[in-house]
Amino acid sequence: MIVRRVLYAVCLLASVLVLIGLAAGVRVGMPIAPEDRLELPGAGFRVVRGAGAPDEDALQISGVGQDRSAVQAMSLLPVEAADYPILRYRFERFPEVLELSLLFRRADEPDEVHVITLPRPSGGEGSFTLSDLADWHGSIVEIGFAQFPTPQLVPASQRFEPFRLRSAQLWSPSVEGALSALRTDWFAQRPWGLFAVSSVDREAGPNAPRRPSLLLVVSAAVVLSGLWGLVWFGRRWRRIGTLLAAATVAGWLVLDANWLWQLSGRLATTEAVYGGKGWPLRSRLVVDGDLQAASDRVKRALLPQDAATRVLVDAPSVYEALRLTYHLQPMNTALYGPIRAAGDRDFAAGAILVLYGRDDVNFHPPTRELFIGRLRFEARSLIDAGPLQVFRVDAIEGRGGR
């Protein structure tokens, strides 16, 4: 019986290692350590946006550009992407409120910059499997990094904290590199994300490719624990049930520990943004401060006299339109995009149009003609302040504006 237990443990451990190897992309014959490492010292990067200067072998990033972002880049002698599938990157004091992206150019498209979101460098270091990117092929002639406030989470007004870019490395294929990238993918702390109800975190889009999830590997390991139990202990259902229960509990603890680790990082980001601030300041400290200011201006001009009038909101992006609609509460708001797409021009009669950031709006005051794309209305301008334009559309005869 002791021999069977040992064989069971060996088989299960070997199976788990195989699962991890498959998830990491390890192939038969792959060298343990990378045979070639292309060193990219931080001091060799130039500042494209923001402010910074070399500091020994590192690059000290001391400021951001007008758009609150920082960019660093390094030109390369053309290197073949297929020879370097793994990226290693090192930062010091990387702020919790910033998102990190990788930039690169190819020789066949020198004017095209490819951008990919990278996991935050936990402990200052991170790895990424570049071969997962469809655009990582051909000859690479430039590589760089960009940092900016985490979208939809961190206000652009957040105080900038300096950090250092220590180095980057491009590794040739190896078991060490594949496992390092898998570890970063599984355990790097990621910020909160906003997703549609029909999507999941791991399918956040083509700009965020991920390795097979820890949940998938743990689930497969639990199933294998039962299958190996059948092989070595036969149909002893009580023993197999005990093994499955133990494996399930162990897997659950691993997943829960990782979730708590992710939660601690997300709470740290929230603390960095809102910690030490009173409620009046926190309530005004929103990511979309420009949209909130625009909505406040609309409400000051129109409430309370237009509290029941239809207010149709439109913006270039659905996110901006939804957030502006939210900030305009308690006004009687609705999105105008679906109505416009349906071709229902008359629905806007008697309503107020709140347009933000649209570049296809033309208004002729003498004739009171409003053109939005190919649509024409008779309207009066209520607010014209940069990206914010507000109009009251004339009611069609026989129809009220309520």
Side-chain angles (χ1 to χ4, degrees), residues 237-251:
W237 302 116
R238 184 174 180 180
R239 179 181 293 274
I240 294 174
T242 301
L243 292 174
L244 281 172
T248 301
V249 170

Side-chain angles (χ1 to χ4, degrees), residues 185-250:
D185 185 86
W186 280 356
F187 303 115
Q189 291 181 328
R190 288 179 166 83
W192 298 108
L194 299 178
F195 306 99
V197 294
S198 59
S199 68
V200 294
D201 187 5
R202 301 194 61 83
E203 298 174 357
N207 201 37
R210 301 286 299 275
R211 303 302 299 170
S213 70
L214 179 60
L215 174 61
L216 179 62
V217 173
V218 169
S219 300
V222 171
V223 173
L224 285 172
S225 69
L227 293 178
W228 283 121
L230 280 173
V231 170
W232 293 111
F233 302 114
R235 297 184 180 181
R236 299 180 181 179
W237 302 116
R238 184 174 180 180
R239 179 181 293 274
I240 294 174
T242 301
L243 292 174
L244 281 172
T248 301
V249 170

Side-chain angles (χ1 to χ4, degrees), residues 312-368:
L312 306 179
V313 182
D314 203 10
S317 73
V318 175
Y319 172 78
E320 288 179 315
L322 287 171
R323 289 295 294 169
L324 189 54
T325 300
Y326 170 79
H327 286 307
L328 284 171
Q329 298 300 309
M331 301 185 78
N332 182 21
T333 57
L335 293 180
Y336 185 55
I339 300 170
R340 185 185 68 253
D344 188 354
R345 188 184 68 87
D346 293 343
F347 188 83
I352 292 173
L353 286 179
V354 178
L355 309 174
Y356 188 86
R358 291 192 61 96
D359 56 6
D360 60 347
V361 177
N362 292 291
F363 180 66
H364 302 283
T367 60
R368 291 173 54 183

Side-chain angles (χ1 to χ4, degrees), residues 36-42 44-45 74 76 84 88 90 166-171:
D36 188 16
R37 306 186 190 207
L38 182 59
E39 298 283 347
L40 307 174
F45 285 81
M74 177 187 292
L76 304 174
Y84 298 98
R88 291 276 294 170
R90 294 180 60 202
R166 291 299 304 270
S167 66
Q169 294 178 337
L170 293 174
W171 285 9

Side-chain angles (χ1 to χ4, degrees), residues 98-356:
L98 295 184
E99 184 167 294
L100 177 64
S101 291
L102 171 72
L103 319 173
F104 62 91
R105 297 179 193 265
R106 298 200 311 257
D108 61 335
E109 295 178 336
D111 296 328
E112 181 75 18
V113 179
H114 301 276
V115 183
I116 180 68
T117 301
L118 292 176
R120 184 175 296 160
S122 300
E125 296 186 355
S127 298
F128 187 81
T129 306
L130 294 170
S131 56
D132 287 343
L133 306 177
D135 293 327
W136 186 257
H137 60 82
S139 297
I140 307 300
V141 295
E142 187 177 35
I143 195 169
F145 297 98
Q147 305 85 24
F148 45 89
T150 304
Q152 302 178 0
L153 180 64
V154 177
S157 59
Q158 178 72 19
R159 184 174 64 87
F160 174 78
E161 298 179 3
F163 61 93
R164 285 158 56 95
L165 168 57
R166 291 299 304 270
S167 66
Q169 294 178 337
L170 293 174
W171 285 9
S172 61
S174 68
V175 175
E176 180 185 356
L179 293 178
S180 177
L182 181 66
R183 182 175 63 250
T184 298
D185 185 86
W186 280 356
F187 303 115
Q189 291 181 328
R190 288 179 166 83
W192 298 108
L194 299 178
F195 306 99
V197 294
S198 59
S199 68
V200 294
D201 187 5
R202 301 194 61 83
E203 298 174 357
N207 201 37
R210 301 286 299 275
R211 303 302 299 170
S213 70
L214 179 60
L215 174 61
L216 179 62
V217 173
V218 169
S219 300
V222 171
V223 173
L224 285 172
S225 69
L227 293 178
W228 283 121
L230 280 173
V231 170
W232 293 111
F233 302 114
R235 297 184 180 181
R236 299 180 181 179
W237 302 116
R238 184 174 180 180
R239 179 181 293 274
I240 294 174
T242 301
L243 292 174
L244 281 172
T248 301
V249 170
W252 179 271
L253 291 175
V254 170
L255 294 173
D256 194 56
N258 185 41
W259 184 86
L260 290 173
W261 168 248
Q262 295 287 339
L263 179 61
S264 68
R266 290 166 174 171
L267 292 179
T269 300
T270 304
E271 179 67 20
V273 175
Y274 300 103
K277 300 178 177 68
W279 170 248
L281 178 58
R282 281 183 296 181
S283 64
R284 304 295 301 177
L285 192 62
V286 295
V287 178
D288 47 2
D290 293 341
L291 293 176
Q292 186 178 59
S295 68
D296 289 345
R297 180 162 185 171
V298 173
K299 288 192 285 188
R300 285 196 303 269
L302 301 180
L303 287 178
Q305 63 271 23
D306 288 305
T309 301
R310 291 195 308 273
V311 178
L312 306 179
V313 182
D314 203 10
S317 73
V318 175
Y319 172 78
E320 288 179 315
L322 287 171
R323 289 295 294 169
L324 189 54
T325 300
Y326 170 79
H327 286 307
L328 284 171
Q329 298 300 309
M331 301 185 78
N332 182 21
T333 57
L335 293 180
Y336 185 55
I339 300 170
R340 185 185 68 253
D344 188 354
R345 188 184 68 87
D346 293 343
F347 188 83
I352 292 173
L353 286 179
V354 178
L355 309 174
Y356 188 86

